[in-house]
Amino acid sequence: VETYRNYRRLLLTIQPGLQSCVQAIDGNAPEYSVNTPDAALLLGAYSRADSILTEQPSQLPPEFLFGAEPAHDWCYYYQKASLARQRGQWDEITRLYQEAAGRSLYPQDPIEWMPFLQAFAVTGDLQSLEERAPGIVEVPFVARQVCGSLKTIPNLKDETLHVVEQFYCSDK
């Protein structure tokens, strides 16, 4: 793994807590966990997620250095969904969700629902969008981000926007 110092091409990756996945921050639409360190909050706007080579084949890092590939837990599905989101593959994200749910895998960090919630909104899966809401809205910091993110998705149907407003944006 080679790295080059170029502060104009910063890609910020964080693991905000022990139960969180590694998260790549997109400076154009940053998503932060409740446990995100202050330094990451300050630098997040400068992070360039477009530095991720989304069309390149995945490469496993050297096993002698990093160990064997870990079991496919929640983070595997979250990171696959995040990559699919960058590619605009919304159906793939919903497929990943169904596979993870079938294995009873769910995030410990509620911000990790974001790519799945966005996919539910884009594909019009209102039932899944509603079902995820209670766990999100109990964390107001995350709920505000989800509300803002979902409301700005272009070309959402009116009924989807209504569900977003009702379940994620209201101050009940």
Side-chain angles (χ1 to χ4, degrees), residues 19 25 27 52 67 69 81 102 107 116 119 122 124 143 165 169 172:
Q19 301 300 318
I25 303 298
I52 299 170
E69 181 178 3
F116 300 96
V122 169
E165 285 286 342
C169 299
K172 291 181 184 179

Side-chain angles (χ1 to χ4, degrees), residues 77-96:
Y77 291 97
Y78 166 72
Q79 289 163 346
K80 287 281 195 185
S82 293
L83 180 59
R85 175 175 56 178
Q86 285 183 277
R87 294 175 174 163
Q89 298 172 330
W90 303 109
D91 291 331
E92 173 65 4
I93 298 170
T94 58
R95 186 196 69 73
L96 288 164

Side-chain angles (χ1 to χ4, degrees), residues 6 23 152:
N6 181 345
Q23 302 164 1
T152 61

Side-chain angles (χ1 to χ4, degrees), residues 9 11 16 45 55-56 74 82-84 95 108 135-136 154 161 164:
R9 303 275 316 156
L11 175 62
E55 300 308 320
Q56 297 295 318
W74 168 258
S82 293
L83 180 59
R95 186 196 69 73
Q108 299 297 309
I136 301 294
L161 286 170
V164 168

Side-chain angles (χ1 to χ4, degrees), residues 14-155:
I14 60 172
Q15 184 177 13
L18 294 175
Q19 301 300 318
S20 299
C21 303
V22 172
Q23 302 164 1
I25 303 298
D26 179 352
N28 294 320
E31 300 164 0
Y32 299 114
S33 169
V34 170
N35 300 316
T36 299
D38 291 344
L41 294 172
L42 293 171
L43 292 173
Y46 302 101
S47 183
R48 303 272 311 267
D50 61 346
S51 299
I52 299 170
L53 304 175
T54 59
E55 300 308 320
Q56 297 295 318
S58 297
Q59 295 181 3
L60 289 176
E63 190 171 323
F64 75 89
L65 187 59
F66 291 96
E69 181 178 3
H72 293 179
D73 60 4
W74 168 258
C75 290
Y76 171 85
Y77 291 97
Y78 166 72
Q79 289 163 346
K80 287 281 195 185
S82 293
L83 180 59
R85 175 175 56 178
Q86 285 183 277
R87 294 175 174 163
Q89 298 172 330
W90 303 109
D91 291 331
E92 173 65 4
I93 298 170
T94 58
R95 186 196 69 73
L96 288 164
Y97 167 73
Q98 291 166 352
E99 191 176 323
R103 297 183 62 208
S104 299
L105 298 173
Y106 301 99
Q108 299 297 309
D109 187 339
I111 198 65
E112 292 168 6
W113 279 117
M114 190 72 88
F116 300 96
L117 297 172
Q118 290 169 334
F120 299 152
V122 169
T123 62
D125 184 352
L126 303 184
Q127 180 179 346
S128 295
L129 206 54
E130 289 177 26
E131 287 172 355
R132 298 281 59 91
I136 301 294
V137 297
E138 68 184 28
V139 185
F141 180 72
V142 173
R144 281 190 296 278
Q145 292 176 79
V146 169
C147 171
S149 175
L150 296 180
K151 284 173 52 176
T152 61
I153 295 174
N155 305 317

Side-chain angles (χ1 to χ4, degrees), residues 151-167:
K151 284 173 52 176
T152 61
I153 295 174
N155 305 317
L156 285 184
K157 293 181 180 176
D158 288 341
E159 56 267 20
T160 303
L161 286 170
H162 177 74
V163 167
V164 168
E165 285 286 342
Q166 180 181 0
F167 289 91

